[in-house]
PDB file of all heavy atoms in Angstrom:
ATOM      1  N   LYS G 538      13.464   5.258 -23.592  1.00  0.00           N
ATOM      2  CA  LYS G 538      12.288   4.407 -23.685  1.00  0.00           C
ATOM      3  C   LYS G 538      11.412   4.510 -22.436  1.00  0.00           C
ATOM      4  O   LYS G 538      10.178   4.577 -22.532  1.00  0.00           O
ATOM      5  CB  LYS G 538      12.741   2.955 -23.873  1.00  0.00           C
ATOM      6  CG  LYS G 538      11.636   1.909 -23.811  1.00  0.00           C
ATOM      7  CD  LYS G 538      10.809   1.874 -25.062  1.00  0.00           C
ATOM      8  CE  LYS G 538       9.824   0.717 -25.047  1.00  0.00           C
ATOM      9  NZ  LYS G 538       8.985   0.658 -26.242  1.00  0.00           N
ATOM     10  N   LEU G 539      12.045   4.520 -21.270  1.00  0.00           N
ATOM     11  CA  LEU G 539      11.299   4.457 -20.013  1.00  0.00           C
ATOM     12  C   LEU G 539      10.878   5.820 -19.473  1.00  0.00           C
ATOM     13  O   LEU G 539       9.930   5.908 -18.695  1.00  0.00           O
ATOM     14  CB  LEU G 539      12.141   3.730 -18.955  1.00  0.00           C
ATOM     15  CG  LEU G 539      12.409   2.252 -19.234  1.00  0.00           C
ATOM     16  CD1 LEU G 539      13.488   1.718 -18.301  1.00  0.00           C
ATOM     17  CD2 LEU G 539      11.133   1.430 -19.094  1.00  0.00           C
ATOM     18  N   ASN G 540      11.592   6.863 -19.870  1.00  0.00           N
ATOM     19  CA  ASN G 540      11.280   8.204 -19.359  1.00  0.00           C
ATOM     20  C   ASN G 540      11.443   9.233 -20.476  1.00  0.00           C
ATOM     21  O   ASN G 540      12.279  10.137 -20.385  1.00  0.00           O
ATOM     22  CB  ASN G 540      12.202   8.537 -18.176  1.00  0.00           C
ATOM     23  CG  ASN G 540      11.782   9.803 -17.445  1.00  0.00           C
ATOM     24  OD1 ASN G 540      10.643  10.248 -17.545  1.00  0.00           O
ATOM     25  ND2 ASN G 540      12.715  10.382 -16.707  1.00  0.00           N
ATOM     26  N   PRO G 541      10.651   9.097 -21.543  1.00  0.00           N
ATOM     27  CA  PRO G 541      10.839   9.972 -22.717  1.00  0.00           C
ATOM     28  C   PRO G 541      10.624  11.450 -22.413  1.00  0.00           C
ATOM     29  O   PRO G 541      11.191  12.311 -23.086  1.00  0.00           O
ATOM     30  CB  PRO G 541       9.796   9.444 -23.715  1.00  0.00           C
ATOM     31  CG  PRO G 541       8.775   8.740 -22.879  1.00  0.00           C
ATOM     32  CD  PRO G 541       9.541   8.152 -21.735  1.00  0.00           C
ATOM     33  N   GLU G 542       9.815  11.755 -21.386  1.00  0.00           N
ATOM     34  CA  GLU G 542       9.582  13.156 -21.028  1.00  0.00           C
ATOM     35  C   GLU G 542      10.627  13.674 -20.044  1.00  0.00           C
ATOM     36  O   GLU G 542      10.571  14.850 -19.657  1.00  0.00           O
ATOM     37  CB  GLU G 542       8.180  13.306 -20.443  1.00  0.00           C
ATOM     38  CG  GLU G 542       7.077  12.956 -21.436  1.00  0.00           C
ATOM     39  CD  GLU G 542       5.697  13.067 -20.819  1.00  0.00           C
ATOM     40  OE1 GLU G 542       5.563  13.671 -19.735  1.00  0.00           O
ATOM     41  OE2 GLU G 542       4.742  12.561 -21.428  1.00  0.00           O
ATOM     42  N   ASN G 543      11.564  12.806 -19.660  1.00  0.00           N
ATOM     43  CA  ASN G 543      12.684  13.187 -18.789  1.00  0.00           C
ATOM     44  C   ASN G 543      12.189  13.799 -17.473  1.00  0.00           C
ATOM     45  O   ASN G 543      12.688  14.840 -17.010  1.00  0.00           O
ATOM     46  CB  ASN G 543      13.610  14.164 -19.507  1.00  0.00           C
ATOM     47  CG  ASN G 543      15.042  14.074 -18.986  1.00  0.00           C
ATOM     48  OD1 ASN G 543      15.448  13.084 -18.377  1.00  0.00           O
ATOM     49  ND2 ASN G 543      15.826  15.126 -19.202  1.00  0.00           N
ATOM     50  N   ILE G 544      11.218  13.132 -16.849  1.00  0.00           N
ATOM     51  CA  ILE G 544      10.619  13.617 -15.606  1.00  0.00           C
ATOM     52  C   ILE G 544      11.498  13.220 -14.422  1.00  0.00           C
ATOM     53  O   ILE G 544      11.789  12.033 -14.223  1.00  0.00           O
ATOM     54  CB  ILE G 544       9.215  13.008 -15.423  1.00  0.00           C
ATOM     55  CG1 ILE G 544       8.303  13.417 -16.579  1.00  0.00           C
ATOM     56  CG2 ILE G 544       8.617  13.423 -14.080  1.00  0.00           C
ATOM     57  CD1 ILE G 544       6.988  12.672 -16.612  1.00  0.00           C
ATOM     58  N   PRO G 545      11.952  14.176 -13.604  1.00  0.00           N
ATOM     59  CA  PRO G 545      12.747  13.832 -12.421  1.00  0.00           C
ATOM     60  C   PRO G 545      11.935  12.964 -11.459  1.00  0.00           C
ATOM     61  O   PRO G 545      10.757  13.205 -11.220  1.00  0.00           O
ATOM     62  CB  PRO G 545      13.051  15.202 -11.792  1.00  0.00           C
ATOM     63  CG  PRO G 545      12.873  16.190 -12.900  1.00  0.00           C
ATOM     64  CD  PRO G 545      11.785  15.639 -13.766  1.00  0.00           C
ATOM     65  N   GLY G 546      12.574  11.927 -10.923  1.00  0.00           N
ATOM     66  CA  GLY G 546      11.911  11.031  -9.996  1.00  0.00           C
ATOM     67  C   GLY G 546      11.277   9.825 -10.648  1.00  0.00           C
ATOM     68  O   GLY G 546      10.921   8.854  -9.980  1.00  0.00           O
ATOM     69  N   ARG G 547      11.127   9.872 -11.954  1.00  0.00           N
ATOM     70  CA  ARG G 547      10.508   8.756 -12.686  1.00  0.00           C
ATOM     71  C   ARG G 547      11.460   7.562 -12.803  1.00  0.00           C
ATOM     72  O   ARG G 547      11.051   6.419 -12.686  1.00  0.00           O
ATOM     73  CB  ARG G 547      10.099   9.260 -14.066  1.00  0.00           C
ATOM     74  CG  ARG G 547       9.967   8.224 -15.164  1.00  0.00           C
ATOM     75  CD  ARG G 547       8.746   7.363 -14.999  1.00  0.00           C
ATOM     76  NE  ARG G 547       8.613   6.442 -16.128  1.00  0.00           N
ATOM     77  CZ  ARG G 547       7.772   5.433 -16.167  1.00  0.00           C
ATOM     78  NH1 ARG G 547       6.997   5.182 -15.131  1.00  0.00           N
ATOM     79  NH2 ARG G 547       7.684   4.659 -17.224  1.00  0.00           N
ATOM     80  N   LEU G 548      12.749   7.825 -13.011  1.00  0.00           N
ATOM     81  CA  LEU G 548      13.688   6.746 -13.344  1.00  0.00           C
ATOM     82  C   LEU G 548      14.865   6.709 -12.379  1.00  0.00           C
ATOM     83  O   LEU G 548      15.467   7.738 -12.072  1.00  0.00           O
ATOM     84  CB  LEU G 548      14.209   6.940 -14.778  1.00  0.00           C
ATOM     85  CG  LEU G 548      15.177   5.891 -15.317  1.00  0.00           C
ATOM     86  CD1 LEU G 548      14.541   4.505 -15.339  1.00  0.00           C
ATOM     87  CD2 LEU G 548      15.650   6.280 -16.715  1.00  0.00           C
ATOM     88  N   THR G 549      15.180   5.499 -11.920  1.00  0.00           N
ATOM     89  CA  THR G 549      16.338   5.265 -11.058  1.00  0.00           C
ATOM     90  C   THR G 549      17.216   4.200 -11.695  1.00  0.00           C
ATOM     91  O   THR G 549      16.713   3.127 -12.073  1.00  0.00           O
ATOM     92  CB  THR G 549      15.896   4.792  -9.657  1.00  0.00           C
ATOM     93  OG1 THR G 549      15.113   5.808  -9.040  1.00  0.00           O
ATOM     94  CG2 THR G 549      17.093   4.480  -8.781  1.00  0.00           C
ATOM     95  N   PHE G 550      18.491   4.482 -11.837  1.00  0.00           N
ATOM     96  CA  PHE G 550      19.459   3.482 -12.293  1.00  0.00           C
ATOM     97  C   PHE G 550      20.135   2.875 -11.063  1.00  0.00           C
ATOM     98  O   PHE G 550      20.752   3.592 -10.271  1.00  0.00           O
ATOM     99  CB  PHE G 550      20.515   4.108 -13.206  1.00  0.00           C
ATOM    100  CG  PHE G 550      20.058   4.329 -14.625  1.00  0.00           C
ATOM    101  CD1 PHE G 550      20.660   5.306 -15.413  1.00  0.00           C
ATOM    102  CD2 PHE G 550      19.048   3.561 -15.189  1.00  0.00           C
ATOM    103  CE1 PHE G 550      20.252   5.511 -16.731  1.00  0.00           C
ATOM    104  CE2 PHE G 550      18.633   3.768 -16.496  1.00  0.00           C
ATOM    105  CZ  PHE G 550      19.235   4.740 -17.270  1.00  0.00           C
ATOM    106  N   ILE G 551      19.996   1.564 -10.914  1.00  0.00           N
ATOM    107  CA  ILE G 551      20.567   0.848  -9.770  1.00  0.00           C
ATOM    108  C   ILE G 551      21.755   0.050 -10.273  1.00  0.00           C
ATOM    109  O   ILE G 551      21.596  -0.951 -10.978  1.00  0.00           O
ATOM    110  CB  ILE G 551      19.514  -0.087  -9.129  1.00  0.00           C
ATOM    111  CG1 ILE G 551      18.230   0.695  -8.809  1.00  0.00           C
ATOM    112  CG2 ILE G 551      20.071  -0.749  -7.878  1.00  0.00           C
ATOM    113  CD1 ILE G 551      17.029  -0.191  -8.495  1.00  0.00           C
ATOM    114  N   THR G 552      22.959   0.499  -9.954  1.00  0.00           N
ATOM    115  CA  THR G 552      24.161  -0.131 -10.503  1.00  0.00           C
ATOM    116  C   THR G 552      24.628  -1.282  -9.628  1.00  0.00           C
ATOM    117  O   THR G 552      24.614  -1.203  -8.406  1.00  0.00           O
ATOM    118  CB  THR G 552      25.296   0.893 -10.658  1.00  0.00           C
ATOM    119  OG1 THR G 552      25.644   1.428  -9.377  1.00  0.00           O
ATOM    120  CG2 THR G 552      24.866   2.041 -11.565  1.00  0.00           C
ATOM    121  N   ARG G 553      25.061  -2.377 -10.271  1.00  0.00           N
ATOM    122  CA  ARG G 553      25.508  -3.573  -9.556  1.00  0.00           C
ATOM    123  C   ARG G 553      26.729  -4.147 -10.290  1.00  0.00           C
ATOM    124  O   ARG G 553      26.653  -5.167 -10.963  1.00  0.00           O
ATOM    125  CB  ARG G 553      24.382  -4.605  -9.481  1.00  0.00           C
ATOM    126  CG  ARG G 553      23.532  -4.728 -10.737  1.00  0.00           C
ATOM    127  CD  ARG G 553      22.823  -6.057 -10.832  1.00  0.00           C
ATOM    128  NE  ARG G 553      23.780  -7.154 -10.990  1.00  0.00           N
ATOM    129  CZ  ARG G 553      23.439  -8.429 -11.080  1.00  0.00           C
ATOM    130  NH1 ARG G 553      22.180  -8.790 -11.021  1.00  0.00           N
ATOM    131  NH2 ARG G 553      24.357  -9.364 -11.237  1.00  0.00           N
ATOM    132  N   PHE G 554      27.857  -3.457 -10.127  1.00  0.00           N
ATOM    133  CA  PHE G 554      29.057  -3.779 -10.892  1.00  0.00           C
ATOM    134  C   PHE G 554      29.953  -4.811 -10.207  1.00  0.00           C
ATOM    135  O   PHE G 554      30.644  -5.576 -10.859  1.00  0.00           O
ATOM    136  CB  PHE G 554      29.864  -2.500 -11.138  1.00  0.00           C
ATOM    137  CG  PHE G 554      29.378  -1.696 -12.303  1.00  0.00           C
ATOM    138  CD1 PHE G 554      28.142  -1.069 -12.273  1.00  0.00           C
ATOM    139  CD2 PHE G 554      30.144  -1.560 -13.444  1.00  0.00           C
ATOM    140  CE1 PHE G 554      27.676  -0.330 -13.335  1.00  0.00           C
ATOM    141  CE2 PHE G 554      29.697  -0.821 -14.524  1.00  0.00           C
ATOM    142  CZ  PHE G 554      28.451  -0.200 -14.469  1.00  0.00           C
ATOM    143  N   GLY G 555      29.992  -4.816  -8.889  1.00  0.00           N
ATOM    144  CA  GLY G 555      30.980  -5.607  -8.162  1.00  0.00           C
ATOM    145  C   GLY G 555      32.120  -4.702  -7.728  1.00  0.00           C
ATOM    146  O   GLY G 555      32.471  -3.728  -8.421  1.00  0.00           O
ATOM    147  N   ALA G 556      32.728  -5.024  -6.581  1.00  0.00           N
ATOM    148  CA  ALA G 556      33.766  -4.163  -6.011  1.00  0.00           C
ATOM    149  C   ALA G 556      34.951  -3.992  -6.946  1.00  0.00           C
ATOM    150  O   ALA G 556      35.573  -2.926  -6.996  1.00  0.00           O
ATOM    151  CB  ALA G 556      34.221  -4.738  -4.667  1.00  0.00           C
ATOM    152  N   LYS G 557      35.284  -5.015  -7.726  1.00  0.00           N
ATOM    153  CA  LYS G 557      36.466  -4.966  -8.583  1.00  0.00           C
ATOM    154  C   LYS G 557      36.226  -4.196  -9.878  1.00  0.00           C
ATOM    155  O   LYS G 557      37.190  -3.863 -10.581  1.00  0.00           O
ATOM    156  CB  LYS G 557      36.928  -6.388  -8.902  1.00  0.00           C
ATOM    157  CG  LYS G 557      37.410  -7.171  -7.683  1.00  0.00           C
ATOM    158  CD  LYS G 557      37.854  -8.571  -8.062  1.00  0.00           C
ATOM    159  CE  LYS G 557      38.345  -9.347  -6.843  1.00  0.00           C
ATOM    160  NZ  LYS G 557      38.749 -10.738  -7.183  1.00  0.00           N
ATOM    161  N   LYS G 558      34.969  -3.910 -10.201  1.00  0.00           N
ATOM    162  CA  LYS G 558      34.670  -3.287 -11.496  1.00  0.00           C
ATOM    163  C   LYS G 558      34.034  -1.902 -11.380  1.00  0.00           C
ATOM    164  O   LYS G 558      33.948  -1.182 -12.373  1.00  0.00           O
ATOM    165  CB  LYS G 558      33.743  -4.201 -12.309  1.00  0.00           C
ATOM    166  CG  LYS G 558      34.353  -5.553 -12.635  1.00  0.00           C
ATOM    167  CD  LYS G 558      33.381  -6.431 -13.419  1.00  0.00           C
ATOM    168  CE  LYS G 558      34.007  -7.775 -13.766  1.00  0.00           C
ATOM    169  NZ  LYS G 558      33.061  -8.644 -14.516  1.00  0.00           N
ATOM    170  N   ILE G 559      33.589  -1.532 -10.186  1.00  0.00           N
ATOM    171  CA  ILE G 559      32.814  -0.302 -10.038  1.00  0.00           C
ATOM    172  C   ILE G 559      33.606   0.943 -10.438  1.00  0.00           C
ATOM    173  O   ILE G 559      33.104   1.833 -11.127  1.00  0.00           O
ATOM    174  CB  ILE G 559      32.276  -0.168  -8.585  1.00  0.00           C
ATOM    175  CG1 ILE G 559      31.372   1.054  -8.441  1.00  0.00           C
ATOM    176  CG2 ILE G 559      33.401  -0.123  -7.559  1.00  0.00           C
ATOM    177  CD1 ILE G 559      30.019   0.880  -9.002  1.00  0.00           C
ATOM    178  N   ARG G 560      34.874   1.012 -10.044  1.00  0.00           N
ATOM    179  CA  ARG G 560      35.652   2.229 -10.303  1.00  0.00           C
ATOM    180  C   ARG G 560      36.056   2.372 -11.759  1.00  0.00           C
ATOM    181  O   ARG G 560      36.281   3.489 -12.236  1.00  0.00           O
ATOM    182  CB  ARG G 560      36.891   2.241  -9.396  1.00  0.00           C
ATOM    183  CG  ARG G 560      36.563   2.426  -7.915  1.00  0.00           C
ATOM    184  CD  ARG G 560      37.789   2.258  -7.039  1.00  0.00           C
ATOM    185  NE  ARG G 560      37.499   2.516  -5.630  1.00  0.00           N
ATOM    186  CZ  ARG G 560      36.984   1.620  -4.791  1.00  0.00           C
ATOM    187  NH1 ARG G 560      36.699   0.401  -5.244  1.00  0.00           N
ATOM    188  NH2 ARG G 560      36.757   1.925  -3.531  1.00  0.00           N
TER     189      ARG G 560
END
Side-chain angles (χ1 to χ4, degrees):
K538 173 76 173 179
L539 294 168
N540 190 20
E542 297 178 15
N543 207 20
I544 299 170
R547 156 73 176 169
L548 181 60
T549 298
F550 281 155
I551 308 166
T552 62
R553 39 158 294 179
F554 277 67
K557 295 180 180 178
K558 298 179 179 179
I559 184 77
R560 291 173 176 83

